[in-house]
Amino acid sequence: MIRVIIAVVLTVTLSLSSPLQSNAEASYRVPQEDSEELRLQDMLLNFLTPYINDAVRDYYRRLLVESPLVYPYFVNVVDSMRINGFRGFNLSITLDVTPVVGPHISVGEDRLTFQISVGPEVKLVNYTHLKSYELPPHWQNIVKKPVK
């Protein structure tokens, strides 16, 4: 009987001490040190964050009552290129983003491609929803119900 109690206590202790899974954490790369490239990328993401959030809000407005947000640290740069050749200032950037609600609860993963040109002018040219995550029970109230 004592062995059973010890086994139960040990099982409960181990399961409570293990970290909870977070979808947001797995979907972005965590830099290990600062660099010139990282600082420039962070400056660019500061500039692009309003455009990212507008695109995400437009997509999720049909699915959720509350608009999710994308924080710069939940963004991965997938690709960037010059559209009009060397030293041309018409550029394209593709980003993978993880929109969240509330205390950083992931609602999905999305890929956005922006065209950036002199002005600056920022134009969303492609939005692809990659993955949806189910919200926890206490956040189900923000999910829009299908219209019948």
Side-chain angles (χ1 to χ4, degrees), residues 22-107:
S22 167
N23 292 325
E25 207 172 299
S27 63
Y28 69 97
R29 182 179 65 87
V30 179
Q32 299 302 309
E33 60 184 49
D34 202 9
S35 66
E36 182 80 17
E37 179 184 357
L38 183 60
R39 285 189 297 277
L40 290 171
Q41 181 176 311
D42 288 350
M43 283 187 253
L44 176 62
L45 290 178
N46 280 339
F47 169 71
L48 288 177
T49 295
Y51 299 97
I52 294 168
N53 280 314
D54 285 348
V56 165
R57 183 175 30 258
D58 286 347
Y59 177 81
Y60 284 93
R61 109 174 351 135
R62 63 185 176 80
L63 304 172
L64 302 173
V65 174
E66 183 175 318
S67 294
L69 293 173
V70 176
Y71 296 98
Y73 45 87
F74 287 139
V75 177
N76 280 327
V77 176
V78 175
D79 188 35
S80 66
M81 60 184 253
R82 291 184 192 271
I83 296 172
N84 57 342
F86 178 69
R87 294 299 293 167
F89 289 90
N90 191 1
L91 300 114
S92 172
I93 187 165
T94 300
L95 310 167
D96 279 353
V97 304
T98 303
V100 298
V101 292
H104 294 90
I105 300 169
S106 304
V107 298

